[in-house]
C-alpha cells in the first residue's frame, strides 16, 4: 500500500509539480517523499506468533516497552521456562527475543517521532532505550538512518 502511495505521489509530482504533490501528501497525511531506507512494513504486525504463549509474551512486551525486558520476564508472561520460551519464540518468529524487543522498540519510537509530539529524549525513555545514543544505534541497525533523519522528514512535512 505504501509503495502504491509513493508511486501515485511521484506521478502527481511529475505531472503537476512538487508543490501540488506536497499538498496532496499533506491532505493524505503521508510523506511527500519517504527516505530510501524506510521500512515498508510494521514490525508490530510481522511478529505475530501462532501460539497463544508467544503471543501473550509479545503483548506483554508491547505493553511494557519502557521497562527492561529480559527473557525471564517474557518467559514468565508465557508461563514457560526461559530456555523453552527462547526456543519456541525463535521457532515462531525467526528471531531471538532480544532482537524482537529491539525491533518493537524501534518501531514504536519511529511512530512516536512521526507523530511529532515528543522530544528525542522522551521517546528514548518511553521506549526503553535508556538514552538517545542507544536509540540512535538501534535506528541505524533497523532503518539504515538515525532518528534525526525521520525527525527532519516529519518537520519538512509539517511546513
Amino acid at each position: 500500500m505504501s509503495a502504491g502511495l509513493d508511486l501515485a505521489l511521484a506521478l502527481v509530482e511529475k505531472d503537476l509539480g512538487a508543490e501540488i504533490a506536497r499538498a496532496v501528501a499533506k491532505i493524505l497525511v503521508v510523506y511527500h517523499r519517504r527516505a530510501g531506507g524506510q521500512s515498508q512494513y510494521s514490525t508490530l504486525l510481522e511478529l505475530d506468533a501462532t501460539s497463544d504463549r508467544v503471543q501473550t509474551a509479545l503483548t506483554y512486551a508491547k505493553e511494557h516497552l519502557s521497562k527492561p525486558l529480559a527473557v525471564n520476564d517474557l518467559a514468565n508472561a508465557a508461563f514457560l521456562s526461559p530456555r523453552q520460551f527462547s526456543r519456541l519464540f525463535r521457532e515462531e518468529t525467526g528471531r531471538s527475543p532480544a532482537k524482537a524487543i529491539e525491533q518493537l522498540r524501534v518501531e514504536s519510537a519511529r511512530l512516536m517521532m512521526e507523530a511529532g509530539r515528543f522530544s528525542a529524549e522522551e521517546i528514548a525513555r518511553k521506549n526503553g532505550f535508556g538514552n538517545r545514543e542507544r536509540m540512535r544505534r538501534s535506528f541505524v541497525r533497523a532503518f539504515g538512518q538515525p532518528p534525526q533523519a525521520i525527525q527532519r522528514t516529519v518537520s519538512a512535512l509539517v511546513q
Side-chain angles (χ1 to χ4, degrees):
M1 186 88 163
S2 296
L5 285 171
D6 291 344
L7 175 61
L9 287 171
L11 292 172
V12 168
E13 182 175 4
K14 182 180 177 199
D15 291 345
L16 303 172
E19 195 60 38
I20 291 177
R22 210 176 341 275
V24 170
K26 198 170 193 175
I27 291 168
L28 295 173
V29 192
V30 296
Y31 295 124
H32 171 225
R33 190 174 293 125
R34 291 182 301 144
Q38 190 172 11
S39 176
Q40 297 293 318
Y41 58 89
S42 170
T43 302
L44 300 172
L45 297 175
E46 182 189 83
L47 287 174
D48 279 341
T50 54
S51 74
D52 288 344
R53 290 180 180 220
V54 173
Q55 189 58 52
T56 299
L58 283 170
T59 300
Y60 174 84
K62 291 172 193 175
E63 292 171 354
H64 296 90
L65 283 179
S66 65
K67 299 177 182 170
L69 291 168
V71 171
N72 286 343
D73 300 324
L74 300 174
N76 286 340
F79 300 103
L80 293 169
S81 71
R83 185 169 182 235
Q84 188 178 12
F85 172 75
S86 293
R87 181 190 54 76
L88 182 62
F89 191 93
R90 186 178 291 276
E91 188 178 291
E92 289 193 21
T93 65
R95 61 190 50 113
S96 71
K99 261 299 181 212
I101 296 306
E102 181 182 46
Q103 288 179 315
L104 288 172
R105 285 184 167 140
V106 167
E107 180 74 9
S108 176
R110 182 185 64 82
L111 293 171
M112 288 177 77
M113 279 183 188
E114 288 176 355
R117 294 186 298 251
F118 303 98
S119 69
E121 293 83 11
E122 196 173 4
I123 292 170
R125 185 177 42 77
K126 287 183 181 220
N127 288 290
F129 289 107
N131 61 50
R132 288 177 59 179
E133 180 55 28
R134 284 185 62 203
M135 182 173 73
R136 189 193 70 73
R137 287 193 308 264
S138 292
F139 262 73
V140 170
R141 272 193 301 274
F143 302 121
Q145 59 186 0
Q148 293 83 358
I150 291 172
Q151 287 175 319
R152 281 191 298 271
T153 304
V154 169
S155 296
L157 181 61
V158 172
Q159 294 175 348

